[in-house]
Amino acid sequence: MTCQLPLATEIGERTVMTHATIPFREGFPALRNQTYLSICDKMILHRQVRAEVETFLDALADASASRTQHETRVTACRERFAALVGARPEEIAVGRNVSDGINATIWAVDWREGDNVVLSLDLEHPNNAYPWLRLRERGVELRSIPARDGRLDYAALIGAMDDRTRVLTCASVSFAPGFRADLERLGQAAHRRDALLVVDGVQTAGILQHDLHAENVDVFVTSTSKGLLGLYGFGFQFVSARCLDRLRPAYLSRPAVASDNEDHSAMGSEAYRLQPDARRFEVGSYNLAGAYAADAAMALLAQLGAETVEARALDVAARLRTGMVELGLPDVAMPGPAEVSHLVTAGPLDAGGHGYSDTRWVTDLSAALAEARIAHTVRRGQLRFGTHAYNIDEDADRALDVMQTVRRAA
């Protein structure tokens, strides 16, 4: 990937260039000594992202910028994320992570005993499972629909909804086996019941293209710790204008209150009003280091273009997937046209768990890949890879060569 990506830093009225212009792939130090095929686990930092965090730290150390000046980065990354997912900036709240966004959404709903939530616990990450399970304490029914061959059972999910369904929830791509969800279909079905579609988008944000309005998504939550190439502890919560006034945040602090004074230390009237947009979900001080990183990372992604990012990630994933089938690996997850994602998995599903497999060949391949410094994971007992725009064909080929060597020796 040879796209040239300069980056400007703004502190107050001062604008400087951080680093020289750096090609996208060459900007990731982690790629110098390993093959990184594990964005589904965590991000790697581009040098320009790190430089922006250092700019923030330098400004703190030197006391050279005010809090208001720092918070321009919050506004900037809010706008960048909105553009990335086809939303409006006022529909984006800045938070910490998926868990934060899911819980903020759940406890903003006015639940009544006898209401229900529809989901497929088989396919959800625990962070989009436990918060919903807790609703049982409120007399809310969880209607969990079993997966079919690692896939959402759309007919059963839609059929499980009724007039007491308040939420339908799913991941945009399952963390294993890695199939993409048909959000548009699920959103249409939820809206027919006047329910909300709530999406854990952490596996796709920054990699696969989204138009959240076209996809009929009501709430979409993510962190910057995977495909958005930022830091842990910083994330976004999209709340569609369609459902904003149906949600009353459980937590409240100054940023969530509408005021003519933007200083978060200024007390206004005791007869407060919530912010007229998604900012009503923002609590306390922002993770400013996370904002600097997110702004820089999304600037890099924007210069590549969402279409280019997705195409590159899917191309390398397809090369890897096809090669694994040709090697004769059992249970390679084969997505249909609408299910294709940048995740590639192989091995029996749920024959093992997080970081381990009960399947000998999965364990052997994982050990050989680790020894060859090819980053990957084992999830739900499956061998798992995840690609991004910094990956090239040679990354897939190197992983395939290692797997071929192990298979031949078996």
Side-chain angles (χ1 to χ4, degrees):
M1 190 71 67
T2 58
C3 182
Q4 302 293 306
L5 298 168
L7 186 66
T9 295
E10 297 179 6
I11 293 292
E13 297 180 354
R14 180 169 58 92
T15 300
V16 298
M17 298 304 296
T18 59
H19 287 290
T21 298
I22 305 170
F24 186 67
R25 178 177 167 88
E26 293 177 18
F28 292 94
L31 301 181
R32 296 173 189 162
N33 58 11
Q34 66 181 304
T35 299
Y36 198 81
L37 292 167
S38 199
I39 193 64
C40 44
D41 180 34
K42 63 180 182 296
M43 77 298 174
I44 52 177
L45 283 186
H46 194 281
R47 284 163 54 195
Q48 292 178 195
V49 175
R50 178 172 179 165
E52 290 304 289
V53 176
E54 291 171 349
T55 296
F56 166 67
L57 295 176
D58 288 344
L60 282 187
D62 296 338
S64 59
S66 69
R67 176 172 171 169
T68 300
Q69 289 171 323
H70 285 307
E71 288 180 357
T72 61
R73 291 304 186 96
V74 177
T75 300
C77 69
R78 188 200 313 276
E79 293 172 350
R80 290 192 192 280
F81 182 73
L84 188 66
V85 297
R88 297 183 291 276
E90 58 267 25
E91 294 177 303
I92 307 299
V94 171
R96 293 181 297 175
N97 47 44
V98 170
S99 301
D100 195 31
I102 291 292
N103 279 283
T105 301
I106 287 175
W107 299 108
V109 175
D110 181 20
W111 298 102
R112 304 298 171 91
E113 188 171 352
D115 287 343
N116 67 76
V117 175
V118 176
L119 75 172
S120 182
L121 287 172
D122 291 351
L123 296 176
E124 294 306 315
H125 188 280
N127 291 338
N128 197 33
Y130 285 117
W132 301 104
L133 288 166
R134 190 180 180 195
L135 282 174
R136 291 171 173 171
E137 299 172 11
R138 295 283 186 95
V140 175
E141 178 188 2
L142 257 66
R143 297 180 177 178
S144 180
I145 306 304
R148 298 184 62 181
D149 300 320
R151 293 170 162 85
L152 292 171
D153 186 336
Y154 291 98
L157 285 165
I158 293 169
M161 290 190 290
D162 60 23
D163 291 342
R164 297 299 301 274
T165 302
R166 305 296 298 279
V167 171
L168 171 62
T169 186
C170 69
S172 52
V173 163
S174 61
F175 74 101
F179 295 135
R180 189 169 190 175
D182 186 344
L183 300 180
E184 184 176 357
R185 179 180 179 185
L186 293 174
Q188 287 176 347
H191 294 173
R192 285 195 294 270
R193 293 290 189 179
D194 199 30
L196 305 181
L197 176 61
V198 177
V199 176
D200 169 1
V202 74
Q203 289 293 354
T204 56
I207 305 174
L208 303 185
Q209 296 181 82
H210 280 286
D211 182 336
L212 297 181
H213 289 289
E215 291 171 313
N216 297 306
V217 174
D218 294 294
V219 178
F220 182 96
V221 297
T222 190
S223 75
T224 60
S225 62
K226 296 186 191 291
L228 289 171
L229 302 175
L231 301 182
Y232 289 105
F234 193 85
F236 300 101
Q237 178 183 2
F238 161 83
V239 183
S240 170
R242 170 185 176 273
C243 68
L244 180 67
D245 288 335
R246 296 168 58 175
L247 301 173
R248 298 286 293 180
Y251 293 113
L252 186 62
S253 68
R254 175 61 185 83
V257 174
S259 174
D260 293 335
N261 190 328
E262 293 302 318
D263 186 338
H264 291 173
S265 299
M267 182 70 186
S269 168
E270 293 183 15
Y272 67 86
R273 294 176 293 107
L274 294 178
Q275 292 279 18
D277 52 33
R279 288 176 298 165
R280 64 181 59 180
F281 285 95
E282 296 180 351
V283 179
S285 299
Y286 298 111
N287 172 0
L288 293 173
Y292 272 69
D295 185 31
M298 286 189 291
L300 297 175
L301 294 174
Q303 290 195 46
L304 284 177
E307 185 175 353
T308 297
V309 171
E310 178 178 292
R312 189 67 212 152
L314 294 184
D315 283 350
V316 177
R319 188 180 185 92
L320 183 57
R321 188 181 297 114
T322 299
M324 290 165 67
V325 171
E326 291 174 349
L327 287 176
L329 296 187
D331 300 305
V332 177
M334 297 301 293
E339 299 173 318
V340 173
S341 83
H342 59 295
L343 270 65
V344 181
T345 57
L349 194 61
D350 291 327
H354 189 99
Y356 71 95
S357 177
D358 300 330
T359 306
R360 177 62 182 272
W361 66 262
V362 171
T363 300
D364 290 346
L365 290 184
S366 180
L369 289 162
E371 186 175 359
R373 298 189 63 79
I374 298 174
H376 67 288
T377 49
V378 175
R379 293 291 184 270
R380 298 182 68 188
Q382 292 188 304
L383 191 67
R384 186 181 72 158
F385 304 94
T387 60
H388 206 319
Y390 48 69
N391 288 119
I392 56 178
D393 290 350
E394 287 79 359
D395 293 339
D397 293 344
R398 185 160 185 263
L400 292 169
D401 286 345
V402 170
M403 290 187 278
Q404 183 179 48
T405 299
V406 174
R407 297 289 285 175
R408 283 177 175 171

